[in-house]
Amino acid sequence: MFKSVNSNENFPEMEKKWLKHWYEKGIVKKYLQKNSKSTKYFSFLDGPITANNPMGVHHAWGRTYKDLWPRFYNLLGYRQRFQNGFDCQGLWVEVEVEKELNLRTKKDIENLVPGDPKASIAKFVQLCKDRISKFSKIQTEQSKRLGYFADWEHSYFTMSDENNYMIWNFLKKCYDHGWIYKGRESVPWCPRCETAISQHEMLTEDYKEIVHESVYLELPIVGRKNEYLLVWTTTPWTIPANICVAVNKDFDYSLVEGTSGELFWVAKDLVEEVFKVKVGVGHDRPVHKVIKTVKGKELVGLHYQGPFDDLPAVSEVAKNYPEKFHTVIATDDLILPISVTEGTGMIHTAVSAGVEDFKLGKKYGLPMIPVIADNADYLPSLGFLSGKNAKKHPEIILDYLREKDVVFKTHHYKHRYPACWRCKSELVWKVEDEWYVAMDKKSKKLGVRSEELGGNKTLRERMIEVAKKIKWMPEFGLDRELDWLKNMHDWLISKKNRYWGLALPIYECRGDGGCGGFEVIGSKTELKKRVISGWQAFEGNSPHKPFVDEVKIKCSNCGKPVSRINDVGNPWLDAGIVAYSTIAENNQGEPLYTKNKKEWKKWFPADFITESFPGQFKNWFYVLIAMSTVLENEPPFKQVLGFGTLLGEDGRPMHKSWGNAIEFNEGADKIGVDVMRWMYSRQNPADNMLFGYKKADEVRRQFYLMLWNIYKFFVEYANLDNFKARSQNFLAPVGTLKNVLDRWILSRFTGLVISVEKNLKEFSAKDAALEIEKFVSDLSTWYIRRSRDRVWVNSDNKVDKNNFYETLYYVLVNLSIIISPFTPFVAEEIYTNLTGKESVNLEDWPLIDQKSKIKDQKLEQEMNIARKVVEAGQAERKILGVKIRIPLAQLMVKVDSTVSIKSLPDEIWDIVLKELNVKNLVINGKLNYPKKKVKVTEEQLEKEGKLRELIRQIQSERKLKGLKPDDFINLTVPKEFEKEKDWIAKRVLAKKISLADISLLRWFATQRVVKAA
Ligand SMILES: [Zn+2]
Ligand SMILES: [Zn+2]
């Protein structure tokens, strides 16, 4: 006997029951160990989740994939590492800790222990570590809830010593190639976090639509009375940093007389736009006069006066660079193209406060006026502006300009402006010394193995070669990655003014008497060898601030004591090294890369990684490739599956305030994780996914409940019929099967196993899931539906009955195995109940005997044709308005003539006739089935219809009364069914049938079904 199946099962509760069982009974451990002796390896490399907050339903999408393929390869007998990873270091954690402690600035952090910056930093770093510890535990529990099986006790943490020192090793290699340098560049900068935001971190979603007050500024030309350059800027806070005005030397510029009599230079194409004046509603009338028009090159060399020329920092530069300061220059189109779609065609150039401005300045040797400090306060040398915040108080600039009467006009300008990805503050641009990895420097390292390791090629060239060796899914991934690789700037790896991150192992010899050189240390051992002081204070601590900074080494060039630079590393370094740092024996201890490279090679490159792709081309995929290219000149992974973004089911990004966000725990308890996992699995990863409760209901109805009801049907009737499974080896009961339905469903199932295996090996969960859905639908709406009269009291054919159960048993047991990577909970429920064995998680993938001819293509085609005929017949009945339960003597059906119907065997025709409830079929006016027409009288047909209706009514009343299929009843039927009494009794399990002298119509209204004693 199988355990009976509840039709109103509480699935989330069922899942919790199995979770408890799996962990308490050691099923997970056994699963992890299942193939530990195997010689086949499947190497999956986890992209670490940031352990900074609870997991969201969007994480569950990727984590479903991260569990699905390891489960699949476990069924196939591959040895695996099953290692999950947590990302730990970086600004994201710092910002959350700052929020928790209500800290506002850098100064607050350094004053956590009042008056003791070092102790303060130690405390702050510890709090960051504590936060990671807290949320990694929460995320572990949530992942378990998702049904994710992994080596949870040995997850990797990117803050580990192993990880940090392996990054040192990488940076040292970069240094040996000559690729590490300190560069002075204009960088995007967050004034709240007081640190540079690298190009990698500026994702499109971090741009906000912002309205800024833009200004048209009048700049009087030196030596020309009443003549002005008219420049337009959307960032008035940068005007004090103005050095030049750039024009395009080939454009036409016009000198225009405005209403007040002054003369302004403006690009000719923009004159109308700039000088239009509102007169009345909706009418703009130009009020101006063009005096003359010249080419831009004729303006080059003009000098002008700026509104802030009196500020000390500005007058200092004016004095030192009289030739270059406040002149009109010709732009370089490749650096700063000028457009005439908006503005004035004359570009305010602030060398210290813009990327293009800075590059133009570099090219022309322009001076620079630094204007803001790290928090965007104006610097002390800026007179009345000093100490005021440039971003928070734009009005100080505008008010001053108005007072000076140099504002031509202002207008509110809406544009997309970048914000800090972590704290959402608007970014500024600032010139800073930062550390970079050069993308375009030839390697200076030439050794024995150098050709194999890339020769003297640049990092960019090498990375492009490596990226091309990887299989990208979806295919556009390669183009997206190459696009980034071809266009990205040098890699900014430093973060100033931050605390919780990789200690960049760069030792720069600066300060009094320093030689100005720098060195990179590649390991803890190397550091220990080079130390001249401070080792004791560092020993026993992780290589983080503040303790690692106690260590001083001797400059190998000049012998002076040298400290580590103050910066921490870009956090993407941390996740990029994991192919090297996390592969370790039993997922613990020293990385195999340094301990036992031969063993490491068995796991490297990883066979597979999967992450949400927006952003990762610039981030995780990029850093993995960069670091592996430097270390081994090899791809770190062979295949990558990228997937889109999870949105609310209203199509908008999930936001708490919009009411469409779903927290993971809430989703899991309301939807059930099997259904969630199925939703992710059947999704096309190339598209964004709409997720919500309505979508979940659809999936539950269309797949999950259908599967459950098949299982319930089997258990219920197999128990009634006292079915005993033949054997425990779950082999298909081929050879013994006479019924065409059994042979058909076995053929379908065999095809399913083959195609699911193929699709999963190609990393298409979607195609595999959709095949499974189609099969389950066939199983329910055709196989079971057409087999209902083969079970229980409906059939006396014991052999056929047993064949039905054998077949469905085989299908269900093996189906539970192949769906276990997708929906492990329901798979376990079905599998354990049907087999009595320990767990589906310890199973092997079903063996398909390719030679047994279970797969019968011809039969499947015939059944498809039969179902097409049935569809056409049902459509015909609809047109005639005759319900399916009323038998017909004949039905004329039209079927697409391309379908070859002639060849259908009799056994399939019989199924068609039964499904359509007709005696004779005429197809396309020609073909008849049966060949010999079945003759039937009107009375016979009517009787048959009535009998069918009667049985249906009794069965539905049985159900209404809550009777079980094996409960006997007593029953009264109309007298006209006297002859069929015994037949009815058997069909509805009646002990006693009495006859009443009433019509069927009256009987419908009054009939009584009573449970028999
Ligand atoms: Zn910020
Ligand atoms: Zn030195």
Side-chain angles (χ1 to χ4, degrees):
M1 288 282 276
F2 304 109
K3 188 188 76 190
S4 70
V5 177
N6 187 350
S7 51
N8 296 311
E9 181 72 38
N10 181 334
F11 294 107
E13 284 309 312
M14 176 189 90
E15 290 169 356
K16 285 177 182 167
K17 172 193 83 181
W18 282 118
L19 278 178
K20 196 162 172 275
H21 177 84
W22 288 336
Y23 284 93
E24 279 179 2
K25 301 286 174 191
I27 303 293
V28 181
K29 276 218 170 73
K30 285 187 190 171
Y31 163 91
L32 299 178
Q33 290 301 317
K34 176 175 171 257
N35 304 309
S36 60
K37 299 275 184 299
S38 175
T39 51
K40 296 188 289 186
Y41 285 62
F42 178 70
S43 181
F44 168 71
L45 185 67
D46 186 28
I49 180 170
T50 311
N52 193 29
N53 278 302
M55 200 171 112
V57 285
H58 60 290
H59 291 114
W61 183 1
R63 290 174 96 67
T64 293
Y65 290 154
K66 290 173 180 195
D67 185 47
L68 195 162
W69 273 285
R71 281 178 179 275
F72 170 63
Y73 278 94
N74 220 32
L75 289 168
L76 291 180
Y78 284 73
R79 187 173 163 188
Q80 298 180 72
R81 299 196 305 119
F82 300 109
Q83 193 183 31
N84 164 79
F86 292 110
D87 208 8
C88 312
Q89 302 176 150
L91 196 49
W92 39 50
V93 186
E94 290 193 42
V95 169
E96 293 299 320
V97 172
E98 283 177 63
K99 266 195 231 161
E100 256 176 32
L101 300 176
N102 206 14
L103 306 177
R104 294 185 191 283
T105 64
K106 219 182 114 186
K107 279 188 208 111
D108 294 343
I109 296 173
E110 297 197 357
N111 207 31
L112 262 180
V113 179
D116 188 344
K118 196 185 135 192
S120 298
I121 293 169
K123 187 173 173 190
F124 185 69
V125 164
Q126 188 56 47
L127 287 168
C128 290
K129 289 183 180 175
D130 294 346
R131 186 175 176 90
I132 295 299
S133 163
K134 175 179 164 190
F135 284 102
S136 62
K137 286 194 183 89
I138 291 173
Q139 291 178 345
T140 297
E141 287 314 307
Q142 293 182 310
S143 302
K144 288 179 178 174
R145 175 66 187 90
L146 182 65
Y148 188 173
F149 279 11
D151 185 8
W152 297 115
E153 281 148 48
H154 305 113
S155 292
Y156 72 76
F157 289 77
T158 60
M159 65 186 179
S160 72
D161 288 12
E162 289 83 5
N163 210 64
N164 281 303
Y165 290 127
M166 194 64 85
I167 302 169
W168 285 25
N169 180 25
F170 157 79
L171 291 170
K172 172 88 179 190
K173 293 265 158 58
C174 291
Y175 173 74
D176 291 343
H177 281 290
W179 291 337
I180 299 229
Y181 73 94
K182 183 166 84 170
R184 194 167 173 73
E185 294 280 346
S186 173
V187 288
W189 186 272
C190 174
R192 197 220 68 97
C193 300
E194 298 192 27
T195 201
I197 300 298
S198 78
Q199 193 193 3
H200 302 248
E201 295 167 294
M202 291 175 65
L203 305 178
T204 41
E205 57 263 37
D206 295 322
Y207 280 73
K208 297 192 287 191
E209 291 260 307
I210 295 179
V211 176
H212 283 122
E213 189 162 18
S214 71
V215 58
Y216 289 80
L217 186 65
E218 304 170 353
L219 299 171
I221 299 174
V222 175
R224 296 207 184 167
K225 200 163 173 260
N226 231 9
E227 253 182 62
Y228 299 85
L229 305 171
L230 199 55
V231 304
W232 175 69
T233 177
T234 58
T235 52
W237 69 268
T238 64
I239 294 173
N242 177 272
I243 298 292
C244 290
V245 168
V247 296
N248 184 308
K249 62 181 173 26
D250 301 321
F251 285 1
D252 288 329
Y253 287 84
S254 297
L255 187 63
V256 182
E257 186 182 337
T259 45
S260 56
E262 283 130 337
L263 305 173
F264 301 102
W265 285 104
V266 177
K268 179 172 166 260
D269 291 348
L270 286 160
V271 170
E272 296 286 319
E273 181 63 27
V274 171
F275 287 88
K276 72 187 175 191
V277 175
K278 283 242 179 292
V279 278
V281 182
H283 295 281
D284 291 334
R285 189 165 57 85
V287 186
H288 65 264
K289 197 165 88 194
V290 173
I291 307 292
K292 62 174 170 179
T293 297
V294 302
K295 289 287 177 200
K297 63 178 170 238
E298 291 185 37
L299 302 176
V300 172
L302 288 176
H303 283 257
Y304 61 89
Q305 286 169 346
F308 295 98
D309 289 355
D310 298 336
L311 300 182
V314 180
S315 59
E316 174 84 12
V317 171
K319 198 175 76 198
N320 293 337
Y321 301 88
E323 292 303 311
K324 288 177 173 162
F325 181 71
H326 283 189
T327 56
V328 176
I329 58 167
T331 192
D332 177 338
D333 265 343
L334 294 176
I335 298 173
L336 177 73
I338 294 176
S339 96
V340 285
T341 54
E342 57 184 3
T344 64
M346 313 199 99
I347 308 297
H348 151 62
T349 307
V351 179
S352 70
V355 176
E356 295 84 7
D357 311 48
F358 181 81
K359 284 191 190 154
L360 206 60
K362 226 176 179 179
K363 172 158 183 176
Y364 293 138
L366 301 176
M368 188 159 69
I369 308 168
V371 289
I372 52 170
D374 291 352
N375 62 358
D377 279 356
Y378 282 109
L379 292 169
S381 54
L382 286 164
F384 75 97
L385 293 173
S386 300
K388 291 175 182 145
N389 196 275
K391 281 308 281 183
K392 285 182 198 145
H393 304 292
E395 73 281 358
I396 51 172
I397 296 285
L398 289 164
D399 290 350
Y400 177 77
L401 294 176
R402 286 195 183 98
E403 200 179 294
K404 279 214 110 179
D405 199 18
V406 293
V407 175
F408 178 78
K409 63 176 179 180
T410 64
H411 93 271
H412 290 279
Y413 181 69
K414 192 171 164 185
H415 57 159
R416 288 175 60 70
Y417 192 86
C420 172
W421 59 277
R422 214 53 242 173
C423 75
K424 308 300 170 200
S425 303
E426 289 178 29
L427 299 184
V428 295
W429 271 260
K430 196 169 175 294
V431 174
E432 272 298 336
D433 286 336
E434 299 281 359
W435 293 87
Y436 294 86
V437 174
M439 294 298 291
D440 298 308
K441 262 190 210 161
K442 295 277 179 208
S443 170
K444 66 174 190 189
K445 195 175 151 194
L446 277 171
V448 195
R449 287 177 68 222
S450 70
E451 262 319 306
E452 157 194 348
L453 286 171
N456 70 345
K457 285 186 186 134
T458 69
L459 182 54
R460 191 190 304 277
E461 289 162 352
R462 290 164 198 239
M463 282 184 72
I464 287 171
E465 282 171 15
V466 165
K468 285 179 180 168
K469 291 186 196 163
I470 293 164
K471 183 179 174 195
W472 296 82
M473 301 170 286
E475 268 175 43
F476 64 70
L478 177 60
D479 288 337
R480 296 270 290 271
E481 190 63 48
L482 289 180
D483 185 52
W484 169 246
L485 286 179
K486 284 171 185 162
N487 294 307
M488 69 166 288
H489 309 152
D490 287 348
W491 182 13
L492 197 171
I493 54 167
S494 52
K495 279 251 179 251
K496 283 204 153 47
N497 301 328
R498 301 312 315 178
Y499 309 93
W500 173 231
L502 169 88
L504 279 177
I506 301 174
Y507 290 76
E508 192 185 17
C509 185
R510 52 185 175 178
D512 281 346
C515 68
F518 73 91
E519 290 176 81
V520 174
I521 299 295
S523 67
K524 190 178 183 182
T525 320
E526 189 186 344
L527 184 65
K528 194 170 183 181
K529 241 184 248 165
R530 299 283 307 274
V531 70
I532 48 170
S533 70
W535 190 259
Q536 261 182 335
F538 168 55
E539 183 81 277
N541 288 294
S542 63
H544 290 108
K545 285 185 166 198
F547 301 106
V548 71
D549 290 338
E550 297 290 322
V551 175
K552 303 240 182 310
I553 64 169
K554 198 162 91 177
C555 174
S556 53
N557 185 34
C558 72
K560 231 194 117 220
V562 185
S563 304
R564 195 185 71 80
I565 58 168
N566 204 23
D567 308 2
V568 297
N570 177 300
W572 284 105
L573 288 162
D574 306 349
I577 199 69
V578 297
Y580 291 82
S581 59
T582 67
I583 298 173
E585 216 171 308
N586 300 321
N587 297 333
Q588 302 166 65
E590 193 190 337
L592 285 173
Y593 182 61
T594 45
K595 190 181 178 187
N596 182 350
K597 202 161 172 184
K598 205 176 135 210
E599 199 55 36
W600 171 77
K601 264 282 177 194
K602 291 182 182 167
W603 299 104
F604 181 92
D607 291 297
F608 178 61
I609 66 167
T610 179
E611 282 312 312
S612 167
F613 52 68
Q616 301 304 357
F617 295 110
K618 289 180 175 185
N619 289 320
W620 198 50
F621 303 155
Y622 166 80
V623 284
L624 278 175
I625 293 170
M627 295 173 101
S628 191
T629 299
V630 170
L631 289 172
E632 291 290 321
N633 207 32
E634 288 283 341
F637 51 91
K638 293 180 196 159
Q639 302 166 94
V640 52
L641 171 66
F643 53 94
T645 303
L646 190 99
L647 305 170
E649 57 192 351
D650 57 1
R652 299 194 298 171
M654 284 193 175
H655 275 299
K656 268 187 200 149
S657 55
W658 293 346
N660 63 353
I662 300 175
E663 290 189 338
F664 174 77
N665 290 348
E666 180 199 314
D669 286 347
K670 281 197 187 159
I671 297 170
V673 292
D674 265 349
V675 171
M676 276 167 71
R677 291 172 64 117
W678 193 258
M679 293 167 80
Y680 303 127
S681 301
R682 72 192 301 286
Q683 165 72 22
N684 181 355
D687 297 335
N688 290 339
M689 176 175 181
L690 303 184
F691 188 94
Y693 293 117
K694 278 192 213 113
K695 293 266 167 202
D697 284 342
E698 268 170 44
V699 168
R700 187 182 301 105
R701 248 194 347 263
Q702 286 166 4
F703 168 68
Y704 201 72
L705 289 179
M706 199 180 258
L707 174 67
W708 187 257
N709 287 330
I710 295 167
Y711 163 59
K712 182 179 179 305
F713 178 88
F714 172 82
V715 167
E716 188 162 25
Y717 286 98
N719 281 344
L720 287 171
D721 277 324
N722 206 16
F723 165 76
K724 298 234 169 6
R726 239 182 350 174
S727 63
Q728 286 287 310
N729 58 3
F730 320 138
L731 289 180
V734 269
T736 57
L737 301 178
K738 295 279 178 286
N739 193 310
V740 67
L741 284 165
D742 295 342
R743 283 185 279 122
W744 171 72
I745 201 69
L746 278 187
S747 173
R748 279 283 286 116
F749 185 69
T750 304
L752 178 73
V753 175
I754 294 168
S755 99
V756 169
E757 181 174 340
K758 177 175 170 283
N759 281 312
L760 288 183
K761 280 182 171 165
E762 288 166 2
F763 297 99
S764 178
K766 183 201 98 186
D767 289 337
L770 295 185
E771 290 277 347
I772 293 170
E773 278 187 10
K774 200 161 166 291
F775 175 81
V776 166
S777 166
D778 280 356
L779 186 61
S780 168
T781 60
W782 196 247
Y783 179 73
I784 302 244
R785 182 181 162 83
R786 288 311 335 138
S787 295
R788 281 181 178 271
D789 51 11
R790 299 171 65 194
V791 299
W792 186 219
V793 289
N794 304 338
S795 169
D796 292 324
N797 185 341
K798 279 193 178 150
V799 173
D800 180 66
K801 196 181 261 192
N802 198 59
N803 282 346
F804 167 75
Y805 288 124
E806 283 281 359
T807 305
L808 189 52
Y809 179 80
Y810 165 80
V811 167
L812 279 175
V813 168
N814 287 288
L815 183 63
S816 74
I817 296 171
I818 68 170
I819 63 169
S820 67
F822 302 86
T823 52
F825 297 92
V826 73
E828 185 77 322
E829 183 75 26
I830 294 174
Y831 176 89
T832 50
N833 190 21
L834 297 190
T835 66
K837 290 175 88 177
E838 193 174 11
S839 172
V840 74
N841 300 299
L842 308 176
E843 258 302 338
D844 290 330
W845 191 255
L847 262 184
I848 295 297
D849 185 353
Q850 302 278 4
K851 283 178 243 151
S852 71
K853 295 188 182 138
I854 304 176
K855 181 87 186 135
D856 185 341
Q857 210 57 48
K858 186 166 161 281
L859 172 59
E860 286 190 40
Q861 271 164 12
E862 288 167 352
M863 201 62 95
N864 278 344
I865 295 168
R867 295 180 76 178
K868 284 213 171 92
V869 174
V870 165
E871 256 172 48
Q874 284 161 342
E876 190 59 33
R877 270 182 170 273
K878 218 171 206 175
I879 293 167
L880 297 172
V882 188
K883 282 185 179 142
I884 196 81
R885 60 174 178 268
I886 299 174
L888 293 174
Q890 180 174 294
L891 189 64
M892 317 250 289
V893 173
K894 278 201 193 95
V895 182
D896 188 344
S897 57
T898 56
V899 173
S900 100
I901 297 159
K902 271 190 189 159
S903 63
L904 289 194
D906 288 356
E907 50 191 353
I908 289 187
W909 276 121
D910 290 343
I911 294 174
V912 173
L913 291 183
K914 275 189 197 143
E915 178 67 21
L916 285 175
N917 197 17
V918 294
K919 303 297 169 199
N920 298 285
L921 260 180
V922 181
I923 308 216
N924 296 346
K926 284 188 229 152
L927 187 75
N928 299 305
Y929 190 83
K931 285 193 187 86
K932 195 166 169 246
K933 198 169 180 187
V934 174
K935 296 222 169 87
V936 60
T937 64
E938 273 304 311
E939 293 79 55
Q940 280 171 320
L941 275 182
E942 199 189 337
K943 189 58 172 283
E944 201 181 313
K946 280 181 172 177
L947 202 54
R948 201 173 162 125
E949 191 64 3
L950 181 85
I951 299 279
R952 202 178 65 89
Q953 195 66 25
I954 296 166
Q955 300 291 27
S956 97
E957 205 181 332
R958 285 185 63 111
K959 225 176 225 165
L960 221 66
K961 291 209 150 87
L963 299 185
K964 286 190 243 120
D966 56 347
D967 284 336
F968 277 86
I969 54 171
N970 293 332
L971 169 76
T972 310
V973 297
K975 208 175 165 191
E976 58 178 299
F977 293 105
E978 189 172 0
K979 265 195 223 154
E980 293 82 12
K981 221 176 82 173
D982 292 346
W983 186 86
I984 295 168
K986 197 170 160 257
R987 278 291 158 116
V988 300
L989 222 65
K991 240 181 195 166
K992 211 173 95 192
I993 294 194
S994 15
L995 300 167
D997 196 6
I998 49 169
S999 69
L1000 183 60
L1001 216 63
R1002 283 246 353 247
W1003 178 87
F1004 279 152
T1006 61
Q1007 44 110 357
R1008 288 273 177 277
V1009 170
V1010 184
K1011 190 176 172 186

